Amino acid sequence: MSADAAASDSSRSGETVPSGQPMTAACVEARHLIRGRWIGAERTARRWNPARGDELVSVAPVGDRNIVDEAVAAARASAPVWASMSGEARGAVLARTAGALRARASEAATLIAREEGKTLAEASGEVGRAAAMLEFYASLGRQPLGSTLPSADGSMHLYTTREPVGVVGLVTPWNFPIAIPVWKAAPALVAGNTVVVKPASIVPGSMHLLAECFEEAGLPAGVLNVVHGSGGEAGQALVEHPEVDAISFTGSGAVGRRINITAAERMARVQLELGGKNGMLVMPDADMELAADLCARGAFGLTGQACTATSRVVVMEGDEQRFLDALVARTMQIRIGDPLDPDTTMGPVVTEQQLRTDVSWIERALADGAELVSGGVASGAFLTPTILRRVEPEHAIAREEVFGPVLAVMVARSPEEAMRIMNGTEYGLSAGIVTNDLAAAMEFSRTIDAGVIKVNRLTTGTDVNAPFGGMRASSNGLFREQGFSATDFFTRVKTTYVGF
Ligand code: TAP
C-alpha cells in the first residue's frame, strides 16, 4: 500500500467545467431550486461514480453569493404564508414527500450508490430511513408545540407557544446525501420555517432528487430552496447572510468551528453536529463472535464513512488475540466492489482525496508503532478494511477521526484504564460496550462521554424518534437532532399571560 497507489484512483470530484458538455443517459442534471424554479448556471461541477471513474453521475450549477441572496430572499418571502398554515397541513406535505420518495426508492438508492459510493443495500437503508423520518415529522404537525402553566395569579391563563425562527440555512455533508438533508429539513418545515439547503458539492444529484420529491408533494414555492456550489463560496455566503435566522450544520470540526464564529458574530442560532472517534469496549465476558461482528460492521459498513463508525476498540489484556482472530475472520467475509453489485458489502472511498487521507493516517499509525493486522491495501478507489493493533492511546490513530475503513485496536490492563482510553479523545458522539454484565453496562453508560451509547449493538444506526447528537468536540451540544426534540432548534419560545 502506498500513497501513490491511492493517488492512482481515477474517480474525480468537484471539477468545474463550462455547461453544455455531453452527458450519459444516467447523468442527473441538478439545478438550484429557488422560488419553485429550477435554475442552471454557466459554471457547473461534475461528479463521477467513484467506483467507475469514467461514469458521469451528476452535473450541478456552481452557486455564488448572488444565487444565495436570491434563495434567501425566496425563503424570506414565503415564510409568513408557510408559518401561518396549520401544523397538520405542513405535516401533510411531508407525508406526501415521504410517499414520493418511497415511490422512487429504487432510483434514489441507485443514485446514492453511484454518486456517494455506499452499497445498494446501504443506500436503500438510507432512503427508507429518510422516508421514515419524513413520516415521523409529518405526525408532529399534530403534536402540541408549547404548554399551559399554572400561574400565581388565579385570574390568569399562562401559556407558552413555539414559533418558527424564520429562515434557516441547512449545510450538509456528503455521507448521507438524502437522509441528512431530510433530518434537518423535515423538523424545520413542520415547525413552520422556510429553508435554504446547501448540500455537499460532490453529491448534488441526490439532493436534486429529494428536492423533486418535495416539489411533487406540493410544497409551496420558496419554502424549500436549494443552492448547489462549494462550501467556501455558497456555503459561506449562506452562513454569513444577515437574513438567515439560524444555521444547522453537519460536517467536519474545522468547518463547524468557523461557522460557529461567523454565526456568533451576528447572533444567529447555530446547531453543529461534527466528527467522531467512536469506541467499542469489549469486556472479558463478551461473546467474541458478537464483538467481532459488531466491530467489523461498525468499522467497515458504509466504508467507515459514518460519523458514528466504530474506529477504535478497547479489549482487556489477555483477550486481544481471541478478539483479533474473530475480527479478522469476520472481516474476511467483506466483499469489496461496485456498489451496484448485489454481492458487494463494501464500496469505494468517496474521493481520491479522501483515499489519500485514509492512507496517510495508516502510514502515520505504522510510523508511530502500530502493527498492520490486515488490510491497508489501496487499489483504484478502494481501500481494504484495515485493522491496526499495538495502538497506544496517545497515537494520532487512537484520537483523530479518519472517516474511512480503518480500525485501531488497543489493550487495557484494568477496567479503569479501559474507561480512560474510551474517554481519551476530544470527541463524544457514539460509544459501545459488548458485555452480558448488566452492572458493567450501566456503569459504562454513566461514565462514558458520548451522546449515543450502545450496549451489544452497533455504534452506528439510530431510531428516528430518538434524539441524536454528540458531546464535546462532536457537537456544540445546545440542541439535539432527530426525535421529538429536534423542533426545539427550529422554534423560539413565547410566554403569554392572559388576565381575565
Ligand atoms: P465538511 O467538509 O465539513 O463539509 C460539510 C458541508 O459544509 C459541505 O456542504 C461543505 O461544502 C460545506 N462547507 C465547507 N466549507 C464551508 C464554509 N467555509 N462555510 C460553509 N459551509 C462550508 O464535511 P464533509 O467532508 O462533507 O463530511 C464529513 C464530516 O462530516 C466528518 O467529519 C463527519 O464526522 C461529519 N459528519 C458528522 C455527522 C454527525 S450527525 N455528527 C454526520 C455525518 C457526517 P463542500 O461540499 O462544497 O465542501
Side-chain angles (χ1 to χ4, degrees), residues 355-374:
L355 184 61
R356 275 197 295 270
T357 302
D358 296 355
V359 168
S360 67
W361 280 116
I362 297 168
E363 288 173 344
R364 172 148 181 210
L366 297 178
D368 283 344
E371 202 177 275
L372 195 61
V373 176
S374 65

PDB file of all heavy atoms in Angstrom, residues 355-374:
ATOM      1  N   LEU A 355      -9.305   9.107  -0.030  1.00  0.00           N
ATOM      2  CA  LEU A 355      -8.493   7.885  -0.020  1.00  0.00           C
ATOM      3  C   LEU A 355      -7.054   8.204   0.387  1.00  0.00           C
ATOM      4  O   LEU A 355      -6.446   7.484   1.193  1.00  0.00           O
ATOM      5  CB  LEU A 355      -8.535   7.214  -1.397  1.00  0.00           C
ATOM      6  CG  LEU A 355      -7.802   5.879  -1.515  1.00  0.00           C
ATOM      7  CD1 LEU A 355      -8.393   4.836  -0.585  1.00  0.00           C
ATOM      8  CD2 LEU A 355      -7.861   5.353  -2.947  1.00  0.00           C
ATOM      9  N   ARG A 356      -6.530   9.294  -0.158  1.00  0.00           N
ATOM     10  CA  ARG A 356      -5.156   9.697   0.217  1.00  0.00           C
ATOM     11  C   ARG A 356      -5.082  10.010   1.709  1.00  0.00           C
ATOM     12  O   ARG A 356      -4.120   9.659   2.382  1.00  0.00           O
ATOM     13  CB  ARG A 356      -4.718  10.927  -0.595  1.00  0.00           C
ATOM     14  CG  ARG A 356      -4.136  10.576  -1.967  1.00  0.00           C
ATOM     15  CD  ARG A 356      -3.346  11.750  -2.535  1.00  0.00           C
ATOM     16  NE  ARG A 356      -4.208  12.886  -2.794  1.00  0.00           N
ATOM     17  CZ  ARG A 356      -4.845  13.097  -3.948  1.00  0.00           C
ATOM     18  NH1 ARG A 356      -4.707  12.240  -4.945  1.00  0.00           N
ATOM     19  NH2 ARG A 356      -5.618  14.143  -4.104  1.00  0.00           N
ATOM     20  N   THR A 357      -6.148  10.653   2.220  1.00  0.00           N
ATOM     21  CA  THR A 357      -6.174  10.966   3.656  1.00  0.00           C
ATOM     22  C   THR A 357      -6.174   9.685   4.479  1.00  0.00           C
ATOM     23  O   THR A 357      -5.417   9.541   5.446  1.00  0.00           O
ATOM     24  CB  THR A 357      -7.434  11.804   3.980  1.00  0.00           C
ATOM     25  OG1 THR A 357      -7.410  12.974   3.190  1.00  0.00           O
ATOM     26  CG2 THR A 357      -7.508  12.184   5.442  1.00  0.00           C
ATOM     27  N   ASP A 358      -7.020   8.728   4.098  1.00  0.00           N
ATOM     28  CA  ASP A 358      -7.095   7.457   4.829  1.00  0.00           C
ATOM     29  C   ASP A 358      -5.724   6.780   4.844  1.00  0.00           C
ATOM     30  O   ASP A 358      -5.255   6.298   5.886  1.00  0.00           O
ATOM     31  CB  ASP A 358      -8.103   6.500   4.165  1.00  0.00           C
ATOM     32  CG  ASP A 358      -9.540   7.016   4.206  1.00  0.00           C
ATOM     33  OD1 ASP A 358      -9.778   8.065   4.834  1.00  0.00           O
ATOM     34  OD2 ASP A 358     -10.408   6.364   3.594  1.00  0.00           O
ATOM     35  N   VAL A 359      -5.098   6.744   3.668  1.00  0.00           N
ATOM     36  CA  VAL A 359      -3.800   6.069   3.550  1.00  0.00           C
ATOM     37  C   VAL A 359      -2.753   6.784   4.417  1.00  0.00           C
ATOM     38  O   VAL A 359      -1.949   6.139   5.100  1.00  0.00           O
ATOM     39  CB  VAL A 359      -3.353   6.030   2.068  1.00  0.00           C
ATOM     40  CG1 VAL A 359      -1.899   5.613   1.939  1.00  0.00           C
ATOM     41  CG2 VAL A 359      -4.239   5.071   1.287  1.00  0.00           C
ATOM     42  N   SER A 360      -2.818   8.105   4.436  1.00  0.00           N
ATOM     43  CA  SER A 360      -1.801   8.811   5.227  1.00  0.00           C
ATOM     44  C   SER A 360      -1.999   8.571   6.726  1.00  0.00           C
ATOM     45  O   SER A 360      -1.033   8.506   7.480  1.00  0.00           O
ATOM     46  CB  SER A 360      -1.766  10.304   4.882  1.00  0.00           C
ATOM     47  OG  SER A 360      -2.952  10.891   5.304  1.00  0.00           O
ATOM     48  N   TRP A 361      -3.264   8.384   7.162  1.00  0.00           N
ATOM     49  CA  TRP A 361      -3.485   8.047   8.578  1.00  0.00           C
ATOM     50  C   TRP A 361      -2.895   6.665   8.893  1.00  0.00           C
ATOM     51  O   TRP A 361      -2.319   6.458   9.968  1.00  0.00           O
ATOM     52  CB  TRP A 361      -4.978   8.049   8.909  1.00  0.00           C
ATOM     53  CG  TRP A 361      -5.556   9.414   9.140  1.00  0.00           C
ATOM     54  CD1 TRP A 361      -6.510  10.033   8.396  1.00  0.00           C
ATOM     55  CD2 TRP A 361      -5.219  10.341  10.192  1.00  0.00           C
ATOM     56  NE1 TRP A 361      -6.788  11.275   8.911  1.00  0.00           N
ATOM     57  CE2 TRP A 361      -6.019  11.491  10.019  1.00  0.00           C
ATOM     58  CE3 TRP A 361      -4.324  10.297  11.257  1.00  0.00           C
ATOM     59  CZ2 TRP A 361      -5.957  12.590  10.861  1.00  0.00           C
ATOM     60  CZ3 TRP A 361      -4.258  11.396  12.107  1.00  0.00           C
ATOM     61  CH2 TRP A 361      -5.058  12.525  11.906  1.00  0.00           C
ATOM     62  N   ILE A 362      -3.047   5.725   7.963  1.00  0.00           N
ATOM     63  CA  ILE A 362      -2.496   4.378   8.198  1.00  0.00           C
ATOM     64  C   ILE A 362      -0.969   4.466   8.271  1.00  0.00           C
ATOM     65  O   ILE A 362      -0.332   3.890   9.162  1.00  0.00           O
ATOM     66  CB  ILE A 362      -2.942   3.404   7.079  1.00  0.00           C
ATOM     67  CG1 ILE A 362      -4.457   3.251   7.079  1.00  0.00           C
ATOM     68  CG2 ILE A 362      -2.280   2.038   7.248  1.00  0.00           C
ATOM     69  CD1 ILE A 362      -5.025   2.542   5.843  1.00  0.00           C
ATOM     70  N   GLU A 363      -0.388   5.205   7.341  1.00  0.00           N
ATOM     71  CA  GLU A 363       1.082   5.334   7.333  1.00  0.00           C
ATOM     72  C   GLU A 363       1.575   5.985   8.621  1.00  0.00           C
ATOM     73  O   GLU A 363       2.581   5.574   9.196  1.00  0.00           O
ATOM     74  CB  GLU A 363       1.517   6.138   6.104  1.00  0.00           C
ATOM     75  CG  GLU A 363       1.347   5.325   4.830  1.00  0.00           C
ATOM     76  CD  GLU A 363       1.603   6.130   3.558  1.00  0.00           C
ATOM     77  OE1 GLU A 363       1.623   7.375   3.604  1.00  0.00           O
ATOM     78  OE2 GLU A 363       1.778   5.486   2.506  1.00  0.00           O
ATOM     79  N   ARG A 364       0.841   6.980   9.073  1.00  0.00           N
ATOM     80  CA  ARG A 364       1.263   7.644  10.316  1.00  0.00           C
ATOM     81  C   ARG A 364       1.156   6.678  11.497  1.00  0.00           C
ATOM     82  O   ARG A 364       2.032   6.649  12.372  1.00  0.00           O
ATOM     83  CB  ARG A 364       0.398   8.887  10.543  1.00  0.00           C
ATOM     84  CG  ARG A 364       0.642   9.501  11.881  1.00  0.00           C
ATOM     85  CD  ARG A 364       0.484  10.984  11.895  1.00  0.00           C
ATOM     86  NE  ARG A 364       0.758  11.475  13.234  1.00  0.00           N
ATOM     87  CZ  ARG A 364       0.201  12.553  13.741  1.00  0.00           C
ATOM     88  NH1 ARG A 364      -0.640  13.270  13.029  1.00  0.00           N
ATOM     89  NH2 ARG A 364       0.500  12.944  14.962  1.00  0.00           N
ATOM     90  N   ALA A 365       0.080   5.869  11.518  1.00  0.00           N
ATOM     91  CA  ALA A 365      -0.083   4.911  12.613  1.00  0.00           C
ATOM     92  C   ALA A 365       1.080   3.920  12.627  1.00  0.00           C
ATOM     93  O   ALA A 365       1.641   3.611  13.688  1.00  0.00           O
ATOM     94  CB  ALA A 365      -1.405   4.164  12.458  1.00  0.00           C
ATOM     95  N   LEU A 366       1.468   3.442  11.450  1.00  0.00           N
ATOM     96  CA  LEU A 366       2.578   2.479  11.374  1.00  0.00           C
ATOM     97  C   LEU A 366       3.871   3.148  11.826  1.00  0.00           C
ATOM     98  O   LEU A 366       4.673   2.545  12.548  1.00  0.00           O
ATOM     99  CB  LEU A 366       2.709   1.935   9.947  1.00  0.00           C
ATOM    100  CG  LEU A 366       1.488   1.136   9.437  1.00  0.00           C
ATOM    101  CD1 LEU A 366       1.698   0.691   7.996  1.00  0.00           C
ATOM    102  CD2 LEU A 366       1.193  -0.066  10.332  1.00  0.00           C
ATOM    103  N   ALA A 367       4.057   4.401  11.432  1.00  0.00           N
ATOM    104  CA  ALA A 367       5.272   5.129  11.845  1.00  0.00           C
ATOM    105  C   ALA A 367       5.278   5.338  13.357  1.00  0.00           C
ATOM    106  O   ALA A 367       6.345   5.354  13.995  1.00  0.00           O
ATOM    107  CB  ALA A 367       5.334   6.473  11.123  1.00  0.00           C
ATOM    108  N   ASP A 368       4.094   5.460  13.967  1.00  0.00           N
ATOM    109  CA  ASP A 368       4.006   5.662  15.424  1.00  0.00           C
ATOM    110  C   ASP A 368       4.219   4.364  16.196  1.00  0.00           C
ATOM    111  O   ASP A 368       4.278   4.371  17.421  1.00  0.00           O
ATOM    112  CB  ASP A 368       2.629   6.240  15.796  1.00  0.00           C
ATOM    113  CG  ASP A 368       2.530   7.728  15.481  1.00  0.00           C
ATOM    114  OD1 ASP A 368       3.585   8.367  15.277  1.00  0.00           O
ATOM    115  OD2 ASP A 368       1.396   8.249  15.436  1.00  0.00           O
ATOM    116  N   GLY A 369       4.230   3.223  15.477  1.00  0.00           N
ATOM    117  CA  GLY A 369       4.494   1.953  16.158  1.00  0.00           C
ATOM    118  C   GLY A 369       3.356   0.956  16.099  1.00  0.00           C
ATOM    119  O   GLY A 369       3.458  -0.134  16.671  1.00  0.00           O
ATOM    120  N   ALA A 370       2.252   1.311  15.442  1.00  0.00           N
ATOM    121  CA  ALA A 370       1.161   0.341  15.306  1.00  0.00           C
ATOM    122  C   ALA A 370       1.568  -0.756  14.333  1.00  0.00           C
ATOM    123  O   ALA A 370       2.516  -0.597  13.551  1.00  0.00           O
ATOM    124  CB  ALA A 370      -0.101   1.039  14.800  1.00  0.00           C
ATOM    125  N   GLU A 371       0.831  -1.857  14.377  1.00  0.00           N
ATOM    126  CA  GLU A 371       1.146  -3.018  13.517  1.00  0.00           C
ATOM    127  C   GLU A 371      -0.092  -3.324  12.671  1.00  0.00           C
ATOM    128  O   GLU A 371      -1.216  -3.312  13.201  1.00  0.00           O
ATOM    129  CB  GLU A 371       1.428  -4.197  14.439  1.00  0.00           C
ATOM    130  CG  GLU A 371       2.233  -5.309  13.874  1.00  0.00           C
ATOM    131  CD  GLU A 371       2.467  -6.351  14.971  1.00  0.00           C
ATOM    132  OE1 GLU A 371       3.431  -6.181  15.755  1.00  0.00           O
ATOM    133  OE2 GLU A 371       1.652  -7.293  15.056  1.00  0.00           O
ATOM    134  N   LEU A 372       0.139  -3.591  11.384  1.00  0.00           N
ATOM    135  CA  LEU A 372      -0.989  -3.891  10.493  1.00  0.00           C
ATOM    136  C   LEU A 372      -1.407  -5.349  10.703  1.00  0.00           C
ATOM    137  O   LEU A 372      -0.596  -6.263  10.537  1.00  0.00           O
ATOM    138  CB  LEU A 372      -0.520  -3.675   9.049  1.00  0.00           C
ATOM    139  CG  LEU A 372      -1.565  -3.582   7.963  1.00  0.00           C
ATOM    140  CD1 LEU A 372      -2.521  -2.411   8.194  1.00  0.00           C
ATOM    141  CD2 LEU A 372      -0.887  -3.438   6.603  1.00  0.00           C
ATOM    142  N   VAL A 373      -2.666  -5.558  11.070  1.00  0.00           N
ATOM    143  CA  VAL A 373      -3.165  -6.929  11.240  1.00  0.00           C
ATOM    144  C   VAL A 373      -3.709  -7.428   9.907  1.00  0.00           C
ATOM    145  O   VAL A 373      -3.451  -8.554   9.495  1.00  0.00           O
ATOM    146  CB  VAL A 373      -4.285  -6.965  12.315  1.00  0.00           C
ATOM    147  CG1 VAL A 373      -4.876  -8.358  12.441  1.00  0.00           C
ATOM    148  CG2 VAL A 373      -3.747  -6.483  13.649  1.00  0.00           C
ATOM    149  N   SER A 374      -4.480  -6.573   9.236  1.00  0.00           N
ATOM    150  CA  SER A 374      -4.971  -6.936   7.902  1.00  0.00           C
ATOM    151  C   SER A 374      -5.399  -5.660   7.185  1.00  0.00           C
ATOM    152  O   SER A 374      -5.589  -4.613   7.799  1.00  0.00           O
ATOM    153  CB  SER A 374      -6.146  -7.913   7.996  1.00  0.00           C
ATOM    154  OG  SER A 374      -7.234  -7.276   8.610  1.00  0.00           O
TER     155      SER A 374
END
